[in-house]
Amino acid sequence: MTAKRFSPFLLIAFFCFMCDEVSTKTPQDDNRVKEIRSILENPLDSQILVVAHRADWRNAPENSLEAIKSAIALGVDIVELDVSLTKDSVLVLMHDKTINRTTSGQGYVKDWTYDSLKMLHLRNGQGRVTEFKIPTLKEALLVTKGKVMVNLDKCYHNFSLIVEELRETKTLDHVIIKAYDTPYKQVRQDLGAVLDEIYFMPIMRLENVTNAAEEIALYQKEAQPIAFELTFRSDTFAILGDFQTIKQNGSRVWVNSLWDDLNGGHSDNLALQDTEASYGWIVSTGANMIQTDRPELLIKYLRELKLHN
């Protein structure tokens, strides 16, 4: 039996293809999300996870694919994205109920079909119209897949549709889903068994919770959330001195540095003048997830302390 002969041109083409495949791999691909998940699932790990609010909106329009890519390049661990539903039931990234502030159009997201929204352009942080378009949730999930984890906000009421897309894109283990001030029993009733398949994080505004420690303990006993997002206008709440207990019981603690009434005044703006009074104070509480509007500044600060890879 004669051996088959391969054209040298085909062999060269194949070799070039394989080299190209290898060269496009980066440390952020594949293993990056596994590394983040490993830290996320170990609340006693010393590393602090950085969350980019609406992705890196200072360098590209908020909730855009370009802002997501910029955040990934900065080295953030999680991008926070907002989800809205169009008139024809397409999940898109949009924070506001209307498109007035962030796009070249006007009106409510729910009154537009996706095909119509595709004709519009996103505005940047200064309100200037850019060439960038409104992405779908599916597009965002495919861009983030393997590179960075995702926190989905404003998604609770579209939960079943979102879970479908997570399953379709095989990103169920890439995403943290959250709910505002919703007691455990209500969350279990709303989400059912899926609650046990996802990374879930309750948000608690400490001003609105009668007994935060008791509610946190119930959640941890029944559902073991991956984290708790705690917001507070004053930095005097007793629970702020007991983050170690929350972590020892299996959950991380997420604090926002976005603006003053979310963190008792220890905000990103303060960090521009005094990083210790802002980021330093948050770190001193034992919080180990920080959502920020200034990811580059926060990452630099944390890396100097060897608290971020």
Side-chain angles (χ1 to χ4, degrees):
M1 190 172 179
T2 349
K4 289 185 181 178
R5 299 182 64 189
F6 293 93
S7 160
F9 296 106
L10 287 176
L11 290 172
I12 291 169
F14 176 75
F15 177 76
C16 291
F17 171 78
M18 292 303 294
C19 286
D20 184 60
E21 284 292 289
V22 171
S23 67
T24 57
K25 295 282 186 185
T26 73
Q28 292 173 325
D29 292 333
D30 303 325
N31 290 332
R32 176 61 178 143
V33 164
K34 291 178 184 176
E35 177 190 350
I36 297 166
R37 274 202 304 266
S38 174
I39 297 169
L40 177 68
E41 292 175 355
N42 181 3
L44 297 177
D45 189 289
S46 63
Q47 294 293 294
I48 295 177
L49 296 172
V50 173
V51 187
H53 182 230
R54 305 182 201 176
D56 184 21
W57 65 263
R58 293 190 184 276
N59 290 311
E62 67 180 60
N63 284 309
S64 66
L65 297 182
E66 292 71 26
I68 293 170
K69 292 173 184 176
S70 180
I72 292 169
L74 287 176
V76 307
D77 306 292
I78 302 166
V79 289
E80 186 262 4
L81 304 172
D82 304 288
V83 185
S84 291
L85 192 65
T86 65
K87 184 179 181 179
D88 51 342
S89 298
V90 177
L91 293 163
V92 296
L93 300 191
M94 184 67 56
H95 177 273
D96 301 353
K97 290 181 180 179
T98 74
I99 59 175
N100 302 2
R101 178 179 64 86
T102 55
T103 80
S104 56
Q106 295 283 314
Y108 288 90
V109 179
K110 66 182 178 62
D111 293 335
W112 284 69
T113 64
Y114 177 61
D115 281 346
S116 299
L117 285 179
K118 284 197 297 186
M119 307 300 291
L120 303 177
H121 291 82
L122 290 168
R123 295 180 183 273
N124 63 21
Q126 295 180 318
R128 300 288 183 180
V129 175
T130 70
E131 67 271 32
F132 305 126
K133 300 298 187 82
I134 301 168
T136 63
L137 173 61
K138 186 177 294 184
E139 288 172 331
L141 292 172
L142 292 175
V143 166
T144 58
K145 188 174 182 178
K147 299 180 177 69
V148 71
M149 291 199 68
V150 178
N151 171 232
L152 293 181
D153 198 4
K154 300 185 178 297
C155 65
Y156 193 76
H157 297 297
N158 294 315
F159 181 78
S160 57
L161 288 175
I162 287 168
V163 168
E164 282 180 28
E165 295 214 346
L166 298 182
R167 293 192 193 283
E168 185 181 339
T169 56
K170 294 180 171 56
T171 55
L172 199 65
D173 59 356
H174 282 53
V175 173
I176 302 167
I177 290 177
K178 58 191 181 185
Y180 289 87
D181 292 340
T182 310
Y184 165 72
K185 289 181 180 178
Q186 184 64 52
V187 170
R188 176 59 75 181
Q189 181 179 317
D190 292 343
L191 306 188
V194 180
L195 181 60
D196 303 316
E197 295 183 63
I198 61 172
Y199 291 121
F200 181 75
M201 180 175 69
I203 303 176
M204 292 185 183
R205 294 184 179 92
L206 295 184
E207 293 82 7
N208 299 345
V209 181
T210 305
N211 189 328
E214 186 177 292
E215 186 63 29
I216 288 169
L218 175 61
Y219 256 116
Q220 290 192 296
K221 177 185 176 184
E222 301 292 344
Q224 198 58 70
I226 197 66
F228 291 88
E229 180 177 338
L230 304 179
T231 72
F232 41 95
R233 287 192 176 89
S234 163
D235 63 8
T236 59
F237 287 96
I239 194 70
L240 301 178
D242 201 22
F243 287 175
Q244 189 64 19
T245 298
I246 298 172
K247 294 188 293 185
Q248 286 173 342
N249 288 335
S251 304
R252 283 189 163 250
V253 180
W254 168 313
V255 169
N256 299 300
S257 60
L258 308 178
W259 46 82
D260 287 353
D261 65 357
L262 296 180
N263 48 56
H266 304 278
S267 66
D268 285 322
N269 285 341
L270 177 60
L272 292 173
Q273 302 171 318
D274 188 344
T275 51
E276 287 304 324
S278 173
Y279 300 150
W281 181 87
I282 294 173
V283 169
S284 75
T285 66
N288 50 15
M289 299 177 78
I290 303 176
Q291 179 175 216
T292 178
D293 279 326
R294 298 187 180 276
E296 188 170 10
L297 180 63
L298 177 57
I299 287 172
K300 180 177 182 293
Y301 175 79
L302 293 176
R303 285 180 176 168
E304 287 172 355
L305 298 176
K306 303 190 184 308
L307 295 174
H308 191 271
N309 292 331

